[in-house]
Amino acid sequence: MNVIVLKICFMVFWVATGIIRYPHGQRQKKNQIRTDNKDALEKTLLAGATIGIAILPLLYVFTPIFSFADYQLPLWINVLGLALAPLTLWLFWRSHKDLGLNWSASLEVREEHSLVTNGVYKSIRHPMYTAIWLWGLLQACLLPNYIGGFSTLIFFGILYFLRVGKEEKMMQQTFGEEYRQYMKQTGRIFPHFWLKQQNV
Ligand code: SAH
């Protein structure tokens, strides 16, 4: 597929994720932070995620600076990327909606924090992270460039693996047995019923 068309499709997706997130970023300010677990590592990971999710793909789309890392992708991979868009956007929207005022971009517990176990959180503990993994895959399928294509998978991947265990520990400290029970009924980023079927 033509690279300009791919870049336009990716930017429509990218702007849509911003439109989904913006009102939640505004609304959650109403729910004050009670515990802030943002240490130096977490701040570095957040900066890395911003580079991977926003800065590098935008530099690729709008400037020629990464043209040395261009390559060609077969059409079916581009089509796969486009096909991932509705599911990814839906899951990104739905996880924000279900998490409501409990959402934060970082490891924080809010004053009125409640444990969400309904909606998409019923069978997956980290559906927003699932959506961002799908976003990374979509980006790799649409942008034929080693830097522009893989930046979200790499930078978000590092954040995910270094954060998810800490986040679950923080949730256990906050909600105790309730969260431990919840962990037994859910999969981390794949639905629990799917994991059960695979016997893992
Ligand atoms: N990891 C979750 C949420 C990402 S937002 C997901 O991928 O869907 C990160 C914040 O959400 C964390 O700081 C934590 O305070 C909060 N959080 C995570 N899981 C939660 C849950 N089940 N209920 C309420 N808050 C949750």
Side-chain angles (χ1 to χ4, degrees):
M1 218 181 271
N2 179 292
V3 176
I4 306 276
V5 175
L6 291 170
K7 284 183 173 180
I8 292 171
C9 292
F10 176 74
M11 283 314 297
V12 169
F13 168 83
W14 194 86
V15 170
T17 62
I19 293 171
I20 291 170
R21 177 155 279 188
Y22 181 77
H24 294 277
Q26 295 301 307
R27 219 175 322 142
Q28 48 124 9
K29 287 182 189 151
K30 284 189 221 147
N31 198 353
Q32 297 289 314
I33 293 161
R34 191 196 326 157
T35 322
D36 185 347
N37 292 308
K38 228 187 294 132
D39 57 13
L41 174 65
E42 173 68 12
K43 284 181 191 159
T44 312
L45 292 173
L46 274 172
T50 310
I51 292 170
I53 289 174
I55 296 172
L56 294 178
L58 292 189
L59 281 174
Y60 165 71
V61 168
F62 292 108
T63 77
I65 60 170
F66 299 140
S67 57
F68 64 91
D70 282 342
Y71 57 90
Q72 298 252 312
L73 275 173
L75 179 66
W76 71 269
I77 295 210
N78 298 155
V79 172
L80 179 67
L82 292 175
L84 283 173
L87 172 67
T88 308
L89 288 175
W90 177 80
L91 192 57
F92 195 63
W93 164 76
R94 188 61 212 253
S95 50
H96 277 84
K97 186 172 183 286
D98 289 338
L99 209 51
L101 293 179
N102 303 300
W103 177 75
S104 33
S106 185
L107 292 179
E108 289 155 355
V109 179
R110 300 192 169 271
E111 280 302 341
E112 306 286 324
H113 209 117
S114 57
L115 179 62
V116 177
T117 59
N118 62 317
V120 274
Y121 285 84
K122 195 167 176 202
S123 49
I124 317 180
R125 284 198 293 290
H126 303 287
M128 205 176 287
Y129 296 160
T130 308
I132 304 175
W133 276 117
L134 289 171
W135 170 340
L137 272 180
L138 173 152
Q139 185 177 326
C141 290
L142 290 187
L143 303 182
N145 181 277
Y146 286 111
I147 300 168
F150 289 96
S151 62
T152 294
L153 282 178
I154 294 168
F155 283 87
F156 170 72
I158 296 170
L159 175 133
Y160 172 82
F161 286 113
L162 293 177
R163 183 201 268 182
V164 72
K166 282 195 196 169
E167 183 171 328
E168 290 183 346
K169 210 165 148 201
M170 178 186 87
M171 296 304 282
Q172 284 184 51
Q173 277 163 1
T174 311
F175 296 101
E177 194 47 35
E178 202 186 348
Y179 194 77
R180 274 185 282 279
Q181 276 304 321
Y182 173 63
M183 285 178 82
K184 288 187 193 148
Q185 294 153 15
T186 48
R188 246 186 184 165
I189 56 168
F190 294 106
H192 191 54
F193 56 81
W194 187 83
L195 291 175
K196 257 174 140 175
Q197 270 173 12
Q198 307 300 310
N199 238 343
V200 285

